[in-house]
């Protein structure tokens, strides 16, 4: 490194008496007792806080040693090592520390100082702490760090940031500092440089005032929104009104979904092309969805459960502000009250309807009262009605929680109808779930009645632990006071259930439906046995039974039957003779064959024979 000749050599300066050396660098000096500085620091911390006090003492140290850094450059020096080593000598001369050891010094490729590690012993700034046996959790030598940084930055002509990594006040044996150019520090360590920047308390107060004003404006707006939300709540408005209010207030696309992630209400500009179930959260959270889309999302809670979510959508680089956090939390609270009210209303309505249905089935209402209650519950008395009665196959080990399962099943049926806007109601009776449906509202959603029944039975089986369900389906009545008859029809249809048949239609039974109204299955089985007993035992292939049924359905005409089943007349006569012998019945006896035919249809309806 080329040097400009200097009048005196820097190394000679420290060979002089201390007073002469200090005179060369300072025209006048003022001594300050260490206890006074300690008390000053304590009072500053109490007045302006620890962080601002740290900055004051760092800058005080910086300015103190800047002048020494400027003056050393006027002396003759060999390299930057000599400049660096002069700094600790000044520290000892000033009484800042008793001893300084430069533990490590490194240089970059151009020969400039790149890293310094130094040890301080008996720093004056830790003296008060050691006297009182106080152990701190942070370094306290702020003035010394400022001294070192001010001296090095000026002497080396580049900004050197000094950070204390160990401190005697923290219980270490000595203090330790690391000194590096500012650009080499990164992340949180580089933030230490803020303490070297002068700041105006007036400017800070102005910034705080502006922030308080912003917060005040947010609170005023939030109060206005809260007031309007309460007004909407008291006016019994629905969730859509809340959404409209939020959208008008924030300008943000807004939506509310239920716990199944189905959107119940939404504003304009809401486009959901992502899976909402992936963003479940128990607190108000800002969720990044893609590079240009994000959500501010908060749960809607009642009954200690999450019942849905309220969300704002952000596009581009937009971020939520404090006002939007306050507004969405208030909206969530209001929505939870709305949903709770709706839930109570629904449960109350369902309980009333359950009682109403049970009263009808038990014939506790006269026609006038029945029509009055039906109208109150928004059911047209003279409308068409369909009834479904569900039965569940129950194992013995399920009996203890049968009622619980039935209640769960009942809630599901009501939800299924409500979700599809089908006007209906359900109740529980004798372990069965009875469902009454306004047939016109059903046809508006499901023109194919059988498709609807298959759908509801499939959903019941899959959502309710894969239980086996049977459903008896009535005919369609034209007044609500026919419900008791429809109920009997569903029970009649259920008499035909089997492992192969889970959906039983009363209308499919035909004339034998009269027999199925006998509730005692043993009577029906005895009737079938009396009519077909020996034939059932002998005809394992069902060949004779099938021939007999074809013969009766072809008007007991041998020629017509033979043609219908593509059989020779002689072969047909042989079979019919065998049937006659087994049954002990003349095959031209219409009265006897009618009973036989009824027995055959009972077997078919019960699925016991492929007829």
């Amino acid at each position: 490194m080329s040097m400009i000749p200097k009048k005196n050599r820097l190394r000679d300066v420290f060979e002089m008496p201390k007073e002469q050396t200090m005179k060369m660098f300072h025209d006048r000096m003022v001594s300050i007792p260490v206890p006074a500085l300690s008390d000053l620091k304590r009072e500053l911390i109490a007045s302006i806080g620890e962080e601002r006090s740290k900055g004051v003492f760092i800058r005080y140290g910086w300015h103190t040693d800047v002048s020494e850094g400027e003056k050393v450059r006027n002396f003759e020096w060999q390299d930057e090592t000599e400049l660096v080593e002069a700094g600790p000598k000044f520290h000892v001369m000033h009484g800042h520390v008793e001893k300084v050891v430069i533990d490590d010094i490194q240089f970059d490729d151009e020969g400039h100082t790149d890293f310094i590690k130094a040890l301080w012993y008996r720093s004056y700034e830790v003296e008060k702490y050691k006297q009182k046996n106080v152990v701190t959790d942070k370094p306290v030598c702020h003035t010394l760090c400022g001294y070192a940084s001010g001296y090095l930055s000026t002497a080396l002509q580049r900004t050197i940031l000094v950070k204390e990594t160990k401190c005697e006040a923290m219980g270490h044996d000595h203090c330790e500092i690391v000194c590096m150019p500012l650009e080499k520090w990164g992340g949180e360590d580089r933030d230490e440089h803020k303490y070297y920047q002068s700041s105006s308390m007036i400017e800070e107060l102005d910034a705080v005032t502006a922030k308080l004003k912003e917060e005040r404006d947010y609170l005023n707006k939030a109060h206005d929104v809260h007031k309007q939300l309460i007004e909407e709540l008291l006016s019994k408005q629905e969730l859509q009104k809340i959404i409209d209010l939020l959208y008008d207030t924030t300008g943000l696309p807004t939506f509310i979904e239920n716990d199944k992630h189905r959107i119940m209400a939404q504003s304009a500009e809401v486009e959901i092309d992502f899976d909402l179930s992936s963003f479940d959260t128990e607190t108000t959270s800002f969720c990044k969805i893609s590079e240009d889309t994000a959500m501010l999302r908060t749960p809607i809670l009642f009954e200690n459960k999450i019942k849905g979510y309220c969300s704002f959508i952000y596009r581009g680089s937009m971020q939520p502000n404090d006002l939007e956090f306050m507004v969405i939390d208030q909206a969530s609270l209001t929505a939870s009250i709305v949903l709770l009210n709706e839930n109570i209303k629904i449960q109350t309505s369902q309980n009333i309807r359950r009682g109403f249905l049970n009263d009808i089935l038990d014939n506790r209402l006269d026609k006038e009262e029945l029509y009055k209650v039906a109208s109150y519950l928004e059911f047209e008395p003279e409308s068409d009605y369909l009834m479904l009665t569900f039965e569940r196959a129950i194992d013995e080990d399920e009996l203890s929680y049968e009622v619980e399962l039935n209640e769960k099943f009942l809630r599901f049926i009501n939800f299924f109808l409500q979700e599809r806007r089908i006007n209906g109601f359900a109740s529980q009776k004798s372990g069965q779930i009875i469902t009454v449906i306004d047939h016109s509202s059903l046809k508006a959603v499901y023109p194919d009645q059988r498709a609807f029944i298959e759908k509801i039975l499939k959903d019941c089986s899959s959502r309710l632990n894969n239980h086996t369900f049977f459903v008896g389906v009535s005919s369609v009545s034209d007044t609500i006071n026919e419900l008791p008859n429809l109920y009997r029809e569903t029970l009649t249809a259920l008499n035909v259930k089997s492992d192969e048949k889970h959906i039983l239609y009363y209308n499919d039974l035909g004339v034998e439906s009269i027999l199925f109204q006998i509730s005692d299955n043993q009577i029906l089985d005895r009737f079938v046995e009396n009519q077909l007993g020996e034939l059932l035992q002998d005809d394992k292939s069902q060949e004779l039974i099938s021939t007999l049924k074809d013969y009766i359905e072809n008007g007991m005409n041998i020629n017509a039957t033979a043609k219908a089943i593509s059989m020779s007349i002689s072969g047909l006569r042989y079979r019919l003779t065998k049937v006659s012998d087994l049954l002990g019945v003349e095959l031209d006896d219409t009265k006897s064959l009618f009973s036989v035919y009824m027995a055959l249809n009972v077997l078919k309806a019960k699925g016991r024979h492929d007829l």
Side-chain angles (χ1 to χ4, degrees), residues 5 16 78 133 153 160 180 220 240 247 380 466 511 543 580 591:
M16 302 177 184
Q78 292 183 346
N133 291 320
S153 297
I160 303 295
M180 291 193 299
N220 287 338
Q240 188 60 48
Y247 182 66
E380 177 58 47
N466 293 314
V511 68
E543 185 179 77
S580 179
K591 181 179 178 181

Side-chain angles (χ1 to χ4, degrees), residues 66 139 242 326 362 364 372:
V66 162
I242 295 176
M326 286 188 282
D362 293 338
R364 288 195 289 262
K372 185 194 306 182

Side-chain angles (χ1 to χ4, degrees), residues 182-238:
L182 177 62
E183 62 272 13
K184 285 201 66 176
W185 292 92
E188 185 177 339
D189 292 326
R190 192 170 183 176
D191 289 343
E192 194 82 4
H193 189 244
K194 68 185 178 183
Y195 296 111
Y196 293 82
Q197 313 300 311
S198 61
S199 62
S200 165
M201 287 192 84
I202 299 299
E203 291 176 357
E204 288 191 19
L205 287 172
D206 287 343
V208 171
T209 302
K211 182 65 176 175
L212 288 173
K213 183 178 182 300
E214 183 181 43
E215 293 291 338
R216 182 199 65 190
D217 292 342
Y218 282 164
L219 286 171
N220 287 338
K221 272 193 173 181
H223 174 73
D224 290 342
V225 172
H226 179 70
K227 183 179 177 182
Q228 293 178 64
L229 286 170
I230 294 300
E231 288 174 353
E232 296 294 348
L233 180 62
L234 295 176
S235 64
K236 300 181 180 180
Q237 297 294 341
E238 297 179 353

Side-chain angles (χ1 to χ4, degrees), residues 291-303:
E291 289 186 3
D292 62 346
T293 306
M295 281 192 303
L296 180 61
R297 189 165 173 79
T298 191
I300 299 172
L301 301 165
F302 66 85
E303 296 179 347

Side-chain angles (χ1 to χ4, degrees), residues 37-38 41-42 45 50 53-58 60 96 120 122-130 134-147 163-172 174-177 192:
L37 286 174
S38 298
K41 178 181 281 191
R42 177 174 51 78
I45 290 174
E50 189 172 339
S53 297
K54 178 180 177 179
V56 168
F57 281 96
I58 284 178
Y60 166 64
H96 299 152
W120 290 334
R122 294 292 303 276
S123 160
Y124 83 89
E125 291 190 89
V126 303
E127 190 171 304
K128 198 80 169 180
Y129 294 94
K130 295 187 71 173
V134 175
V135 177
T136 65
D137 59 353
K138 297 178 182 178
V140 301
C141 301
H142 308 318
T143 308
L144 289 186
C145 287
Y147 284 153
K163 184 171 182 180
E164 189 174 15
T165 54
K166 291 182 179 179
C167 186
E168 284 188 69
M170 297 173 67
H172 299 126
H174 56 267
C175 299
E176 178 182 289
I177 60 167
E192 194 82 4

Side-chain angles (χ1 to χ4, degrees), residues 13 67 146 204 213 231 249 288 290 306 309 351 411 435 449 466 471 512 546 588 592:
V13 171
S67 61
E204 288 191 19
K213 183 178 182 300
E231 288 174 353
T249 302
K288 196 70 177 174
S290 64
I306 294 177
Y309 296 89
N351 288 337
R411 287 194 298 272
T435 305
Q449 175 183 304
N466 293 314
V471 55
E512 63 274 9
S546 179
D588 58 355
S592 297

